[in-house]
Amino acid sequence: MSFWREASSVILLTKSSNLKNVYWDPFKILCIKRSEINSFLPNYTVFPGGTVEKSDSSPEWTDIIPDYTNTNLNLNIIGYSGSPAIKFVSDNEPGSIPKYLSLRVTAIRETFEESGILLCKKMNCSQPETSATVHHLDIDNIDRWRKLVQKNASNFIDLCNENNCYPDVGALHLWSNWLTPSLLKTKFDTKFFLAFIETPVNASPDGVETSQITWNTPDETLSRFVSGYEKLVTPQYYELLRLRQFTSFTKLTNFACKRSIEGCEQILPMVIATKDGYLTLLPGDGKFNNSEKYLEVQYELDKPMQDFDSDVMHRLHHTEEYLPKKIIIKNYTPKCKHVLPANLPNCKI
């Protein structure tokens, strides 16, 4: 499986209002628009994140991150129907820090590179190591450090050493694991983490990989997507619909902190090309096939989507450009005590 690359992403949320109401405590999500010069997903709106670098698992982090053996930081990925997850990427090298740490380091480093938001804590900070919320650390010469880390990921270690700080790995809560569907050539195994920051931070695009950064509610981003002003890939679309189920920053924070210990299900979409467009089946769907052939697109161009209906449905309809068009949930119960995505009308795309 050497053609797969490992990646990590942060879904960073903040309060969108100063109102103190546990029932109506809305939140916004940091959304990044990838620049048009990107070879992968140009002009798409995504969450901050990127591919793993060797320095993210360096043993040097054991001298930087306090309590780096904290077992509360799990990375429990469950495979289809409770079976072990399929291994698409290699383990960290012997002597390296474990993946439950290194993938969180990746997510924090990439968020800093792409947005300028530094999710780090000062040494000897009074906050507990496993915290519900995270903070942006404003350090001296932060723009220079950002360029240095963009140039070489190992400079993130130097940033922490010279500024007496460390990545706030304890505030990243495991949320989901998405793998690139067979239709796309570039393959990523991406772990998504939720993180909560009390107040929005002024973020800025790097002008190279990212061209625009905004704090939006799930409905704002989904509305722009439905109207054709934004492009979303399946994981972002699905997770925005899932987050749409929550109206309270506080309730979502509590849910994510408690739920993350359950782990998450590995999601490798199975794609069927029908005469009505692409049908994407997700684990738990009655027609989902957990065999090696689901690593390739199944062509059933003489059949309509309706021919693949099932008593249990966990699927999406996609356009010819493979943009999500509709999500269909029927008699499906999510694994790992997760929540179902909300529904939206058909997208006019």
Side-chain angles (χ1 to χ4, degrees), residues 34 46 69 174 265 268:
R34 293 173 60 82
V46 298
T69 59
L174 182 64
E265 186 173 26
L268 176 56

Side-chain angles (χ1 to χ4, degrees), residues 15 21-22 25 27 196 247-255:
K15 293 181 179 179
N21 185 330
V22 71
D25 182 19
F27 57 87
F196 302 89
T247 58
S248 166
F249 177 89
T250 303
K251 285 189 172 182
L252 177 54
T253 303
N254 293 336
F255 173 81

Side-chain angles (χ1 to χ4, degrees), residues 152-323:
N152 189 328
S154 66
N155 286 326
F156 192 40
I157 296 174
D158 296 334
L159 180 156
C160 291
N161 280 326
E162 294 190 25
N163 290 277
N164 197 34
C165 65
Y166 60 95
D168 192 2
V169 294
L172 267 61
H173 311 287
L174 182 64
W175 185 253
S176 59
N177 175 207
W178 285 86
L179 292 98
T180 306
S182 51
L183 198 68
L184 303 177
K185 293 182 179 180
T186 307
K187 308 290 187 185
F188 290 99
D189 178 348
T190 306
K191 311 302 189 296
F192 289 84
F193 299 91
L194 247 59
F196 302 89
I197 192 165
E198 288 284 342
T199 55
V201 178
N202 289 329
S204 60
D206 62 15
V208 181
E209 290 188 11
T210 60
S211 61
Q212 185 178 347
I213 297 180
T214 54
W215 290 97
N216 292 327
T217 66
D219 277 356
E220 285 171 342
T221 301
L222 288 165
S223 177
R224 288 182 59 80
F225 170 67
V226 170
S227 301
Y229 295 113
E230 304 275 6
K231 287 185 175 182
L232 296 173
V233 284
T234 302
Q236 278 72 19
Y237 178 72
Y238 188 101
E239 297 303 349
L240 285 168
L241 288 175
R242 183 141 60 180
L243 293 169
R244 191 171 181 260
Q245 296 280 33
F246 296 87
T247 58
S248 166
F249 177 89
T250 303
K251 285 189 172 182
L252 177 54
T253 303
N254 293 336
F255 173 81
C257 292
K258 293 176 181 177
R259 196 222 60 81
S260 64
I261 63 174
E262 303 291 334
C264 63
E265 186 173 26
Q266 183 183 60
I267 302 176
L268 176 56
M270 175 183 172
V271 181
I272 303 173
T274 74
K275 73 176 185 179
D276 302 325
Y278 290 108
L279 177 62
T280 301
L281 306 180
L282 303 178
D285 190 284
K287 296 292 184 180
F288 184 86
N289 189 339
N290 189 36
S291 66
E292 288 192 6
K293 75 174 186 177
Y294 77 134
L295 295 174
E296 303 293 336
V297 178
Q298 305 302 301
Y299 288 94
E300 302 283 358
L301 298 175
D302 59 329
K303 297 179 181 179
M305 286 188 184
Q306 189 175 357
D307 283 6
F308 298 92
D309 284 354
S310 173
D311 289 337
V312 180
M313 291 194 281
H314 183 211
R315 58 182 61 184
L316 298 103
H317 293 178
H318 283 77
T319 67
E320 292 182 358
E321 293 180 289
Y322 203 65
L323 292 172

